[in-house]
């Protein structure tokens, strides 16, 4: 089974370009995804930190939301940002500004990107179901 990770534009492009080498989330990287190739799906920019997708993503929703598979990513680890200063110091790796809905919280985690494989031509994902 393939695993998919949704990221809003422009973050997916920044990951596959190699500019963003830490993906920030408000939860731990699931252990089963550590070292596993994950398909990177970029959705349109929307509300920061909130997916615009339902738990079940049909083919119609894929088209409606202009979802694109940009490539695959492998994560090598996950680290907590104990303090805001710790998170701010890591800006060159995660590229997330402190304004808006993506700023630091005590729950913020950094998912370390080990490798990325970019598709030459982005494609559409199949229907998907959210697992977490």
């Amino acid at each position: 089974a393939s695993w998919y990770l949704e990221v809003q534009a422009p973050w997916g492009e920044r990951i596959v370009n190699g500019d963003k080498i830490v993906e920030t989330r408000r939860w731990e990287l699931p252990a089963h995804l550590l070292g596993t190739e994950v398909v990177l799906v970029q959705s349109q920019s929307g509300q920061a930190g909130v997916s615009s997708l339902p738990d079940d993503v049909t083919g119609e929703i894929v088209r409606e939301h202009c979802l694109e598979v940009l490539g695959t990513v492998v994560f090598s680890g996950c680290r907590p940002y104990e303090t805001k200063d710790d998170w701010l110091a890591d800006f060159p790796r995660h590229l997330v500004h402190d304004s808006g809905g993506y700023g630091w919280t005590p729950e913020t985690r950094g998912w370390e990107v080990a490798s990325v494989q970019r598709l030459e031509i982005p494609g559409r994902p199949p229907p998907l179901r959210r697992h977490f």
Side-chain angles (χ1 to χ4, degrees), residues 25-76:
R25 296 283 163 152
R26 298 235 162 91
W27 59 87
E28 293 287 330
L29 174 69
H32 65 277
L33 296 183
L34 187 64
T36 300
E37 195 171 64
V38 177
V39 178
L40 192 63
V41 176
Q42 182 169 265
S43 61
Q44 295 173 330
S45 184
Q47 184 179 347
V50 178
S51 175
S52 63
L53 302 176
D55 287 346
D56 288 304
V57 178
T58 63
E60 180 180 334
I61 291 171
V62 166
R63 289 184 299 279
E64 183 180 298
H65 287 263
C66 301
L67 301 181
E68 288 186 308
V69 172
L70 300 180
T72 59
V73 60
V74 175
F75 295 103
S76 60

Side-chain angles (χ1 to χ4, degrees), residues 91-107:
F91 175 82
R93 297 174 358 106
H94 61 64
L95 305 178
V96 180
H97 291 279
D98 194 34
S99 59
Y102 292 117
W104 179 84
T105 72
E107 292 80 32

